Amino acid sequence: MSRRTSALGPILYGFAWTVVAPAILLWWAIATAEVITLPVLHAPLLGGLLAAAGVALMAAGMLALAVYGRGLPMNAYPPPHYVFQGIYGWISHPIYVGFVLVAFGFSIACGSASGFWLVSPAAALALTALVMGYEAHDLRRRFGDALRSPRLALPGAGEGAPGVWERIAVYLFVLLPWALFQQALPAVGVPADTAAYAPYTLEVTAALACATPLLVRHRPLLRRFAVTGLAALGASALVCLAVPDTPPALPVLWALLVADAWRRIALPWGAVAAAWVVLLGGGALLGGGAAPGGVLLAAGLFLAVRRYDALWQALRRWAERLANSWREWRVGPLRIINHGLYAGLAGAAGFWIAGRLAGPEYVLPLIGVGVAALLGAMLWGQYVEGSPVLLRPLGWYGGLLGSLAAIGALRLLGMEVLRLLGALAVAAPWIQALGRLRCLVQGCCHGACAPPEAGIRYHHRRSRVTRMAGWEGVPLYPTPLYCILANGVVGLLLYRLWASGAPVGLVMGLYLILSGAARFVEESYRGEPQTPMAAGLRLYQWLAALSFAVGVPLTTVNVPPPDPAPASSGLLAGAFVIGLIAWFVTGIDFPESNRRFSRLAPAD
């Protein structure tokens, strides 16, 4: 390869990131200006300062990679040396953080609602997925034990007193996001509950929370406070999506978090914080301003997140039990496998959701789309992942292509399909989440080798893990569980958007964007030996990136959604039919046959 040819790749890659990507984001913000109508702060000075800080971070990161890494600031052409000097000694991924700051700063400076609420968060999500789904794995593979944490990072798991910068990191990465979250809630339609509390009580609660990182004297306790705070933030956001009219009482939640942290410091401090919890929550309830449901939600969230590690271990053990729950029955030449029930439920639930949202006139077309999706999934599995061992594998992306082919045919027949596409986008996360229960039992979509405390073990002789991968009893990442949790979040967000009257194009585009980002990360932990690789990424990571890219222009389609349709006997019958077909395709096979599409699992 000539020097000119070898230099062309980095030049084109750099051009794509420094010119093409910013141009696309700018076009996206302009094209969705009428789609996103949420209020936004218009502050040219503040936005300019944020953007300038972002540019400075990016420049410092590029300089450090050039000087200490002796290479280019490109993940496709990474520097040969690990860099922990310069700005990398202070913060991880300064180039990406700087890019996100520039995006948000530019949006604030211009007063762009679409830039602030859609484009900048999507850019941050894409970069986060890139780090979690590729760069973090690549750094561990190339440098291993040489990796170091920067100064501005959440407290580590080691013993001893936390350092000054670890305490500062809690303010930056936990308390500041909480403050921004509470400021953003009214803008997205979640009612604020500040009037429910007596004067100065909110300020006192905030002061107690801000004092906590200074009072905690042991690193594990500070780490627990930080992780619990972030878990509470995520759980609160999820609850606000699910029940926006009755949000959790966030001041009470924070008072409980502070009380728990102070209890671990010393008993007197814990007693003071507990007394404040009683005064805060009781005063709000007795004053009649706070909804009892909000206070109960806050208490429930606190009980869940304070034992976040135990909760995760319970989910992991549940996934392991389900993964080894294979049951089968023989009826003549047929074999009935229990995991087909989950796919049947997924098909029926997805049909019900899409039919309710699209309207009764789409019941019959939805049956055709469902059948086409199953055929596409079968063909994809046969020709992408098929083998003599598995004669009827199925693939999610094949189902997606089959659905699109059927919808294209409906469009040629003159049917309006945008509403149908939007309704299917809302239903798709729930279809995939329920379908992943089948994946756990069957052993498909399984993870790669994992630490014992993070993985699940497969023992059943019918599982793909034991029959194809040969990893019986080996801890594997519970990737189907990751997918279930991610799709639950995506499904709640999309339904919330649909119910609030968001345009159909925005719903469709965000489904592809969010599911693509989640799939990109999930796929990096998967370990099926038959999945093709290309340029360091798995096939489905490339498809996930394509999904993200296709979602961007779809968000510009400004078509309002219809009102949910009432349930009908036709909708119930259609859901039953699709569920029955999905159950047959995924749970009944002919184990003694060697014909295509005959077997779901090897015979005895």
Side-chain angles (χ1 to χ4, degrees), residues 211-418:
T212 303
L214 300 176
L215 294 175
V216 174
R217 292 171 292 180
H218 301 286
R219 182 177 288 111
L221 296 184
L222 185 59
R223 176 177 176 81
R224 173 167 286 276
F225 174 73
V227 175
T228 303
L230 289 175
L233 176 60
S236 298
L238 190 60
V239 170
C240 288
L241 284 175
V243 284
D245 296 331
T246 309
L250 298 182
V252 175
L253 175 58
W254 256 110
L256 289 167
L257 294 173
V258 169
D260 186 58
W262 286 26
R263 176 185 64 84
R264 299 173 189 273
I265 298 172
L267 183 59
W269 291 103
V272 170
W276 179 251
V277 170
V278 173
L279 290 172
L280 181 70
L285 286 174
L286 293 175
V295 176
L296 290 175
L297 275 175
L301 288 178
F302 166 71
L303 292 176
V305 301
R306 75 182 294 267
R307 297 292 305 278
Y308 62 87
D309 44 0
L311 179 61
W312 169 249
Q313 291 303 323
L315 285 172
R316 186 181 62 82
R317 288 191 296 270
W318 166 79
E320 184 171 281
R321 287 195 299 271
L322 187 61
N324 292 285
S325 65
W326 184 296
R327 298 291 184 274
E328 63 181 58
W329 301 269
R330 296 291 293 268
V331 181
L334 298 178
R335 175 173 55 183
I336 303 173
I337 309 172
N338 65 334
H339 60 55
L341 174 64
Y342 301 116
L345 290 174
F351 188 96
W352 172 268
I353 294 170
R356 284 296 305 272
L357 297 181
E361 66 270 25
Y362 288 100
V363 170
L364 287 178
L366 269 173
I367 294 177
V369 171
V371 172
L374 288 168
L375 289 175
M378 292 170 66
L379 291 172
W380 180 278
Q382 185 66 226
Y383 293 104
V384 176
E385 297 188 21
S387 73
V389 179
L390 297 173
L391 296 179
R392 201 201 303 168
L394 295 98
W396 172 259
Y397 282 107
L400 188 62
L401 291 176
S403 300
L404 292 177
I407 292 170
L410 292 173
R411 182 70 184 88
L412 291 176
L413 293 174
M415 177 170 286
E416 173 57 50
V417 297
L418 276 178

Side-chain angles (χ1 to χ4, degrees), residues 463-539:
S463 173
R464 284 201 200 181
V465 174
T466 60
R467 294 296 292 259
M468 293 184 65
W471 283 341
E472 180 179 1
V474 177
L476 304 178
Y477 287 109
T479 47
L481 179 58
Y482 299 163
C483 183
I484 291 170
L485 296 176
N487 274 282
V489 175
V490 173
L492 283 176
L493 175 60
L494 295 181
Y495 181 78
R496 174 89 167 94
L497 286 172
W498 184 282
S500 62
V504 172
L506 182 64
V507 174
M508 292 189 299
L510 282 179
Y511 166 69
L512 293 176
I513 288 170
L514 297 173
S515 63
R519 183 64 181 266
F520 187 90
V521 177
E522 175 207 335
E523 193 68 32
S524 70
Y525 289 92
R526 284 167 63 164
E528 299 101 323
Q530 75 274 15
T531 303
M533 299 280 294
L537 295 176
R538 300 167 71 83
L539 168 65

Side-chain angles (χ1 to χ4, degrees), residues 58-79:
M58 294 174 67
M62 294 176 184
L63 180 63
L65 291 179
V67 173
Y68 302 109
R70 301 182 183 277
L72 299 171
M74 302 178 183
N75 49 33
Y77 305 93

